[in-house]
Amino acid sequence: MKAVVCSEGKLEVAEIGAPQPGPGQVLLNVLRCGICGSDLHARVHCDELADLAAATGYDRFMRSDQRVVMGHEFCGEIVEYGPRCRKRWRPGTPVVALPIVRHERQPELTGLSVAAPGGYAEQVVVQEAMTFPVPNGLSSEHAALTEPMAVAWHAVRKGRVNSRQTAFVIGCGPIGLAVITMLRAAGVKTIVASDFSPRRRELAARCGADVVVDPGTESPWAAAPRKGRVIGVEDVLNLGFDAMDRLRRVPKLPWWYAFRLAHTLNAGPAGPAIFECVGVPGIIDQIITAAPPRSRVVVVGVCMETDSFRPAMAINKEIELRFAFGYDPGEFRDTLHMIADGKVDPAPLITGTVGLDGVDNAFAALASPEEHAKILVDPASAATAP
């Protein structure tokens, strides 16, 4: 079959052997495959990523001297089943799947392992147990965005944002835009987005951000609507004084029970939820320094370099720091159905489509933030420019 092969940082279209589905696996014809920012990074920094993955317990990540077919955001149609499958769906059924397969007991990351060729190809193998039929006649273009939108949904769930909280999204690349979209789907009423790129700010507004700012000229914290405006440590301390003044006015009131109830209900003063979607050194420290007390910071941007921040700053403000990566099968399935049911619209993210011969040009185009967010690969297309 025809596929885009990555080796030594170079992409080339080549004829390779067609994949064969193993036990419990399904062969798909690829309809669409999204180009992920992690693919751009893995193309030139895969050895560093492989070392990091090995340190966390996965030693099968792609290496620069291997010939790897990337692509893990795909939609396809069923061609045939391997042995020991339940054959749930007819050939031709459009499906999406988690980008992970298993050979015996060895998990392999589809599109990021030489043992699991990805979706920049005419065909791809998936695990039947991790596969889901595309509902409601959803287009293959939108279905292919299930994977990146599931990453965002997982991050939003990590943030535990309620509808009354202000959410800040710092960085409006593809993952930041996806987070904005999923925050809106979750019912969050006030979303403030920040990015230096005019094009990304435009897309952030289309994805549902209420306030969009250029951090070069305006602070996102000051741009929040007054009801969600950042408060300082003095404000938190004064809340304590005011509460005690009121409670002490009632004779013989066991006021400490009010505090215990607040603790049980987690009803104390809380800051906003902040989603770090940049992934460069220094951003976490900047956010901790500027964020209001008791904020919850969810780190979604993948920073591959050593970074530092001041723990004392986070301690004094009681900042909660969380890190989000990936999703589980339930989140993946729910994301697919949110898109198919019209609760989530991924259309603003899609800015171009190329065939296999245009993947290298698409990678080059995605290096600039001023035009493209998500470029899809259509193996049947002859387009060489997005």
Side-chain angles (χ1 to χ4, degrees):
M1 70 170 180
K2 192 176 179 182
V4 178
V5 177
C6 180
S7 182
E8 301 293 351
K10 297 179 181 179
L11 299 172
E12 64 173 349
V13 180
E15 289 287 339
I16 65 173
Q20 299 297 317
Q25 296 177 348
V26 188
L27 179 65
L28 308 181
N29 281 335
V30 177
L31 299 175
R32 295 290 189 279
C33 184
I35 298 176
C36 179
S38 63
D39 293 340
L40 273 66
H41 195 77
R43 177 188 181 180
V44 292
H45 297 292
C46 61
D47 290 325
E48 300 164 52
L49 291 167
D51 291 340
L52 178 65
T56 62
Y58 179 74
D59 62 358
R60 308 276 289 176
F61 199 91
M62 62 184 285
R63 294 280 182 178
S64 59
D65 60 350
Q66 297 173 329
R67 290 176 59 79
V68 177
V69 179
M70 292 195 292
H72 56 272
E73 305 174 354
F74 50 79
C75 172
E77 60 183 14
I78 291 177
V79 177
E80 64 174 302
Y81 292 89
R84 302 206 296 271
C85 283
R86 296 186 63 183
K87 301 183 179 179
R88 292 173 171 86
W89 312 286
R90 294 179 179 179
T93 300
V95 297
V96 293
L98 274 73
I100 187 168
V101 296
R102 189 163 64 172
H103 303 323
E104 299 297 337
R105 298 290 298 175
Q106 176 62 58
E108 302 285 0
L109 300 179
T110 305
L112 294 169
S113 167
V114 70
Y120 299 165
E122 293 176 321
Q123 295 184 320
V124 67
V125 166
V126 297
Q127 206 76 27
E128 185 187 32
M130 297 290 192
T131 299
F132 307 90
V134 175
N136 299 346
L138 182 67
S139 70
S140 57
E141 288 86 358
H142 289 182
L145 267 65
T146 300
E147 200 277 343
M149 299 304 288
V151 171
W153 181 234
H154 177 72
V156 168
R157 291 188 65 252
K158 277 270 189 180
R160 299 204 335 255
V161 195
N162 65 52
S163 60
R164 301 179 303 280
Q165 277 183 294
T166 297
F168 291 85
V169 179
I170 309 301
C172 299
I175 192 59
L177 296 174
V179 167
I180 292 167
T181 303
M182 300 311 277
L183 284 166
R184 182 60 66 202
V188 177
K189 293 182 172 59
T190 306
I191 304 170
V192 179
S194 172
D195 200 287
F196 289 102
S197 164
R199 172 61 167 158
R200 288 182 172 179
R201 293 197 299 273
E202 174 197 341
L203 291 173
R206 289 178 58 193
C207 287
D210 300 285
V211 180
V212 182
V213 302
D214 176 357
T217 60
E218 184 179 8
S219 165
W221 320 106
R226 187 164 296 277
K227 65 176 182 178
R229 186 64 58 86
V230 171
I231 58 174
V233 171
E234 286 189 2
D235 298 299
V236 174
L237 296 175
N238 280 322
L239 281 173
F241 278 110
D242 294 341
M244 289 300 293
D245 283 344
R246 293 189 183 96
L247 291 169
R248 291 284 197 178
R249 290 172 189 167
V250 182
K252 299 182 180 180
L253 176 72
W255 55 265
W256 51 92
Y257 284 109
F259 279 84
R260 289 178 187 174
L261 178 62
H263 298 158
T264 300
L265 299 176
N266 195 28
I274 304 167
F275 295 85
E276 189 279 287
C277 301
V278 181
V280 299
I283 293 296
I284 294 176
D285 187 64
Q286 290 178 27
I287 289 174
I288 289 173
T289 300
R294 300 195 175 187
S295 293
R296 178 177 295 119
V297 180
V298 182
V299 180
V300 194
V302 180
C303 178
M304 288 303 301
E305 301 175 59
T306 299
D307 200 359
S308 63
F309 63 88
R310 289 166 291 176
M313 180 69 74
I315 290 168
N316 285 339
K317 294 183 175 185
E318 286 201 334
I319 299 291
E320 185 176 335
L321 194 59
R322 296 185 168 200
F323 296 83
F325 179 77
Y327 39 78
D328 63 38
E331 291 168 328
F332 190 92
R333 181 265 177 204
D334 288 348
T335 299
L336 170 64
H337 282 261
M338 281 191 281
I339 298 172
D341 293 344
K343 297 177 182 177
V344 170
D345 180 14
L349 276 73
I350 303 172
T351 55
T353 302
V354 296
L356 295 175
D357 291 317
V359 170
D360 193 35
N361 290 335
F363 270 55
L366 287 166
S368 168
E370 297 307 326
E371 184 174 0
H372 290 287
K374 179 67 65 177
I375 297 176
L376 300 180
V377 179
D378 175 3
S381 172
T384 57

